[in-house]
Amino acid sequence: WVNYVEQINTGKNNLELSKIEGVEKLLKVQSNHFNILNHSVPLVYLLDYTTGRYLYVSRQCQVHLNISPEKMMTNAISFVMERYHPEDLELFNEQIFTDRLKLLESIPVDQHKDHVFSFNFRLKNGNGEFVNILQRNSFIKSEENGKPLVSLGTLTNINHFKTENPVIQLVEKIDPLTG
């Protein structure tokens, strides 16, 4: 994962959100609603691998991680990598992300967005404590060769559900019409 981000990073933002079907509308709705359930709504993010930057981080970042969304966006993916539990980062970097890339290369690019990748890991929150996180994401834009360019995902603090820390990954193929 670390090497992938370094390899694909072009340093300039060539992404036009308006060209990714439905993303602008989703992010606008997410930003303007859910006030009453703010504590129950997952953190939503949009990650551009070509720049290593978050294009969007929802205000739930403060709720789930005690980190401001602005700090996540300003400090980019390197900030998140530094906050991973070392064992979980090693597993994600060497096995999980590699497996994801192999799967994505084996399916048509137009089906990438139809696969939801889920896994749990430990991440250091704004208080310096490791919390258990469930991440679910889809790759909504990819190169023709299958390499992912943009990830839309959610993070949820699941500390209240977990007492042990094994990392579990799950990949689900979803029907785009029925979910």
Side-chain angles (χ1 to χ4, degrees):
W1 181 53
V2 174
N3 292 337
Y4 180 79
V5 171
E6 290 173 359
Q7 289 171 2
I8 200 152
N9 189 336
T10 62
K12 51 185 168 176
N13 187 359
N14 296 321
L15 180 67
E16 292 182 45
L17 290 181
S18 60
K19 291 187 178 181
I20 302 175
E21 185 179 332
V23 171
E24 275 187 308
K25 185 176 181 180
L26 170 73
L27 297 179
K28 184 175 182 177
V29 167
Q30 205 283 328
S31 292
N32 294 328
H33 299 304
F34 304 119
N35 287 331
I36 197 163
L37 295 173
N38 194 39
H39 61 285
S40 300
V41 176
L43 177 165
V44 176
Y45 68 87
L46 187 63
L47 174 61
D48 180 353
Y49 281 106
T50 66
T51 62
R53 303 191 68 79
Y54 289 94
L55 302 172
Y56 176 81
V57 176
S58 70
R59 66 178 178 253
Q60 284 77 18
C61 189
Q62 189 70 50
V63 173
H64 291 286
L65 297 175
N66 197 25
I67 298 170
S68 75
E70 296 79 19
K71 190 169 191 174
M72 287 276 285
M73 290 179 66
T74 301
N75 294 306
I77 199 167
S78 60
F79 177 72
V80 174
M81 286 182 191
E82 293 168 2
R83 303 187 84 73
Y84 258 79
H85 189 283
E87 293 171 6
D88 299 349
L89 178 60
E90 181 179 354
L91 181 62
F92 185 69
N93 187 45
E94 294 178 8
Q95 185 177 347
I96 292 174
F97 194 76
T98 302
D99 290 347
R100 288 179 178 193
L101 290 177
K102 287 178 187 171
L103 175 66
L104 292 170
E105 290 172 1
S106 73
I107 60 175
V109 172
D110 65 339
Q111 291 182 18
H112 284 193
K113 65 185 179 308
D114 300 338
H115 289 76
V116 177
F117 296 84
S118 304
F119 80 107
N120 60 285
F121 62 99
R122 294 165 288 178
L123 192 70
K124 195 178 291 186
N125 67 13
N127 299 331
E129 304 164 334
F130 282 105
V131 293
N132 292 292
I133 298 294
L134 171 65
Q135 176 176 322
R136 294 177 53 84
N137 71 296
S138 289
F139 297 100
I140 60 171
K141 185 171 177 65
S142 299
E143 291 181 336
E144 289 182 23
N145 64 9
K147 293 195 182 303
L149 299 176
V150 179
S151 173
L152 176 65
T154 64
L155 296 180
T156 304
N157 182 327
I158 57 168
N159 230 29
H160 53 288
F161 291 122
K162 300 245 333 134
T163 57
E164 302 161 6
N165 293 308
V167 174
I168 300 169
Q169 175 178 225
L170 174 66
V171 180
E172 306 164 79
K173 182 167 186 330
I174 58 168
D175 182 324
L177 299 177
T178 63

